[in-house]
Amino acid sequence: MSGNILVSVQGWDADKWRAEFVKAAPSRIIFVDPEGAADPSVKYAAVWKQRPSSLAKLPNLRVIFSLGAGVDHVFQDPDLPSVPIVRVVSDDLTMRMCEYIVWQVLDHHRLGPKYRRQQRNHIWLEERAQPAAHQVTVGFLGLGVLGSDAARKVAMLGFNVTGWSRKPRYSQNITCFNGDEQLPWFLATVDILVCLLPLTPQTRGFLNKGLFDRLKKGGTFGAPILINAGRGGLQNERDILQALEDGVLSAASLDVFNVEPLPTQSPFWTHPNISITPHAAASSAPDQLVGPIVAQIEAFERGEPLRNMVNRVAQY
């Protein structure tokens, strides 16, 4: 049953991932793509944006492990083998995302962008008018592992928290909405909109003019604020800029983009109401993720079921 492991990543340091797999699984051979590209001993692939068609050459591949929070990158492979795909679920990754969301929510709530502009312009204004947390509704698009955890932590700070998902969910201290019919009700209450949806064919371009036009009018910050730490493909970037221009949105914090790295000519760089981070909300740390992956492989070889499997039809 035991098998070797192929690491196939693009944009990351493959040697760091190999080193962690060697430590966690010293009895196995750890190949780094394109090594072992058709080796029959490879039964497991750990991937992030793997080379197209590279996995199809492995005759005995049994499981694909995604090394990032999302799995949309896996499905971009036109020759993806018909084997189980496993999402990474890690306390470390969950906490990193939670930290990012809490930081961004508090930054906007406590007028951080405004005060930074004042500092740059040497302006001192004793601005004390600020809503209490319970007067602000933070709405989460997506209540999966990351979204649910971040929503609970934001609620603990005293904010009114709501969430929307495709299927019914329940979470303590969070008002939950689900399905297309309840989406308008959810949007109409939101002061800060946090997007942590998975990127699927159904959610591509989800953050668009039609959605923004259904958001709460006015409200605590004059208009709602958008925080997207999900995937760049979720957002229509032209519509975000237009919504800011029209006052439909008052500000946006964006960690992800349709093209990454963000092109130097993008208007996002210099927009006064947009905060940018370089896809850094929840970085995958090899020393935190490899151990649980190897433990799952060992459990699978003992006959135990795989955990956190991806629905190939829904693609999350």
Side-chain angles (χ1 to χ4, degrees):
M1 283 286 289
S2 64
N4 295 325
I5 302 170
L6 173 72
V7 175
S8 181
V9 298
Q10 294 191 79
W12 291 356
D13 188 338
D15 289 335
K16 287 185 178 179
W17 287 96
R18 188 215 292 261
E20 289 299 328
F21 273 107
V22 168
K23 285 196 294 185
S27 64
R28 302 175 194 263
I29 299 174
I30 311 301
F31 296 101
V32 170
D33 184 53
E35 301 170 6
D39 195 307
S41 72
V42 173
K43 294 184 179 179
Y44 309 100
V47 306
W48 174 255
K49 299 181 179 179
Q50 74 273 13
R51 283 189 309 112
S53 304
S54 59
L55 304 184
K57 301 174 184 177
L58 297 167
N60 295 315
L61 184 65
R62 304 195 66 191
V63 186
I64 298 168
F65 293 89
S66 172
L67 294 175
V71 296
D72 50 285
H73 65 97
V74 178
F75 288 100
Q76 292 174 10
D77 191 334
D79 297 313
L80 189 64
S82 297
V83 301
I85 301 167
V86 175
R87 294 180 294 110
V88 62
V89 175
S90 155
D91 290 345
D92 179 73
L93 198 64
T94 301
M95 180 55 71
R96 288 170 188 256
M97 180 61 78
C98 177
E99 291 169 354
Y100 181 88
I101 298 303
V102 169
W103 165 40
Q104 292 298 328
V105 167
L106 287 175
D107 190 48
H108 286 289
H109 178 235
R110 296 305 303 265
L111 310 180
K114 177 179 181 178
Y115 291 141
R116 287 190 289 275
R117 286 194 296 272
Q118 290 181 186
Q119 179 180 348
R120 285 194 297 271
N121 294 306
H122 298 198
I123 296 173
W124 180 278
L125 291 176
E126 294 190 21
E127 177 61 69
R128 293 191 175 89
Q130 179 183 308
H134 68 83
Q135 296 173 305
V136 177
T137 296
V138 182
F140 283 78
L141 282 169
L143 289 174
V145 173
L146 300 182
S148 293
D149 182 76
R152 287 192 294 268
K153 301 292 175 51
V154 170
M156 290 172 63
L157 294 171
F159 291 93
N160 181 42
V161 177
T162 62
W164 179 87
S165 55
R166 288 285 182 192
K167 298 178 181 179
R169 301 268 188 175
Y170 171 77
S171 187
Q172 191 173 9
N173 299 324
I174 299 169
T175 303
C176 296
F177 300 83
N178 67 86
D180 291 339
E181 289 186 359
Q182 295 184 8
L183 180 60
W185 303 347
F186 163 77
L187 295 171
T189 67
V190 170
D191 294 302
I192 300 177
L193 180 66
V194 178
C195 185
L196 288 173
L197 289 168
L199 180 59
T200 70
Q202 289 71 40
T203 61
R204 186 170 292 278
F206 198 80
L207 300 172
N208 57 34
K209 183 180 186 301
L211 182 140
F212 299 146
D213 286 345
R214 288 186 283 178
L215 286 168
K216 182 177 183 178
K217 303 300 187 287
T220 306
F221 303 105
I225 294 163
L226 171 66
I227 299 171
N228 184 17
R231 284 289 182 266
L234 295 168
Q235 64 195 24
N236 183 313
E237 296 180 348
R238 182 177 298 178
D239 286 0
I240 291 175
L241 291 168
Q242 191 62 53
L244 289 165
E245 180 69 20
D246 295 341
V248 176
L249 292 174
S250 64
S253 289
L254 305 175
D255 184 58
V256 289
F257 304 90
N258 282 294
V259 177
E260 297 180 0
L262 185 65
T264 55
Q265 69 271 23
S266 170
F268 285 166
W269 286 109
T270 55
H271 197 289
N273 295 321
I274 295 178
S275 299
I276 289 173
T277 49
H279 203 144
S283 300
S284 295
D287 62 332
Q288 297 294 319
L289 301 187
V290 168
I293 290 173
V294 172
Q296 255 227 89
I297 290 173
E298 293 171 347
F300 177 67
E301 292 177 345
R302 292 193 300 268
E304 299 176 25
L306 293 166
R307 293 175 288 106
N308 307 313
M309 283 182 57
V310 173
N311 182 316
R312 293 181 71 106
V313 175
Q315 297 192 8
Y316 65 88

